[in-house]
Amino acid sequence: MIDSENELIHFPAFLAAGLPINSARREEGATWERPWPDWRDGEEEELRRHLDWPVREVLHDARLGTWLSSWGARPEDKAEASRIAGQELARAPRLIPLYAHRFLPGGRGTYGNQVLSMWGADIVPYGTELVDYITREFYPSDDDEGPREGGNPVPVWDEFIYDDEPS
């Protein structure tokens, strides 16, 4: 089992587990042209950027005013708001990048988690679980009704989806 971020990046069996990868190296400065994380041959720094991206982007939105009601009253001071948002997001499961801005919540005993589509704090469920997501993303049908709710609850991240009054 993988217990830490460092193990995740250095755990050969995980990296070679058949995750979707690009066999070609990313060109310098490329962004969405190659949306698969290169788990086998990617640079550690690049993989860390992929892993850190969801929290970094949500913290950016929090500095701009996005705030969950469960976090209490939003402080006027942006630095204090950022500190509190960071503490709250530290409770969230790490999101594993799948494809572009689609993420699977990680952690032990988390089989059946929904796949999340994220752009900053704009988070929607994009599959009830991994197989549903892959089918919807890569084999769409005419009767696809858009983002689906379901799957296991995901602490903290679900609050962005279901909070009645996110600001």
Side-chain angles (χ1 to χ4, degrees):
M1 284 285 154
I2 297 169
D3 292 321
S4 73
E5 175 182 332
N6 287 336
E7 271 188 281
L8 176 68
I9 290 177
H10 297 294
F11 194 67
F14 177 78
L15 300 178
L19 293 171
I21 61 151
N22 280 326
S23 58
R25 301 296 266 160
R26 268 180 86 163
E27 294 178 24
E28 189 67 33
T31 54
W32 298 107
E33 291 86 22
R34 298 182 191 273
W36 297 106
D38 188 351
W39 292 108
R40 288 191 177 137
D41 299 315
E43 298 292 326
E44 182 175 333
E45 184 178 321
E46 182 180 349
L47 291 172
R48 285 189 190 283
R49 277 195 307 272
H50 276 281
L51 288 165
D52 294 341
W53 189 82
V55 170
R56 187 175 61 245
E57 293 299 308
V58 170
L59 283 174
H60 172 76
D61 284 0
R63 283 189 291 276
L64 297 176
T66 297
W67 200 256
L68 294 176
S69 57
S70 66
W71 295 354
R74 186 179 193 286
E76 293 291 324
D77 180 63
K78 287 184 180 185
E80 179 65 6
S82 186
R83 185 190 68 73
I84 291 170
Q87 283 180 327
E88 295 294 330
L89 291 172
R91 298 183 306 114
R94 164 134 352 239
L95 297 177
I96 308 302
L98 295 175
Y99 178 79
H101 56 283
R102 312 285 197 251
F103 296 86
L104 181 65
R108 291 182 184 213
T110 59
Y111 174 81
N113 275 347
Q114 58 192 326
V115 173
L116 304 176
S117 178
M118 299 183 64
W119 198 260
D122 181 14
I123 303 171
V124 296
Y126 218 76
T128 57
E129 40 72 34
L130 186 57
V131 173
D132 179 58
Y133 159 71
I134 290 170
T135 302
R136 293 163 50 78
E137 183 82 70
F138 301 106
Y139 305 98
S141 66
D142 291 336
D143 62 339
D144 188 0
E145 69 279 353
R148 294 187 188 177
E149 295 179 10
N152 294 336
V154 183
V156 181
W157 301 116
D158 271 0
E159 295 178 50
F160 286 95
I161 299 168
Y162 304 112
D163 192 346
D164 289 335
E165 297 179 23
S167 55

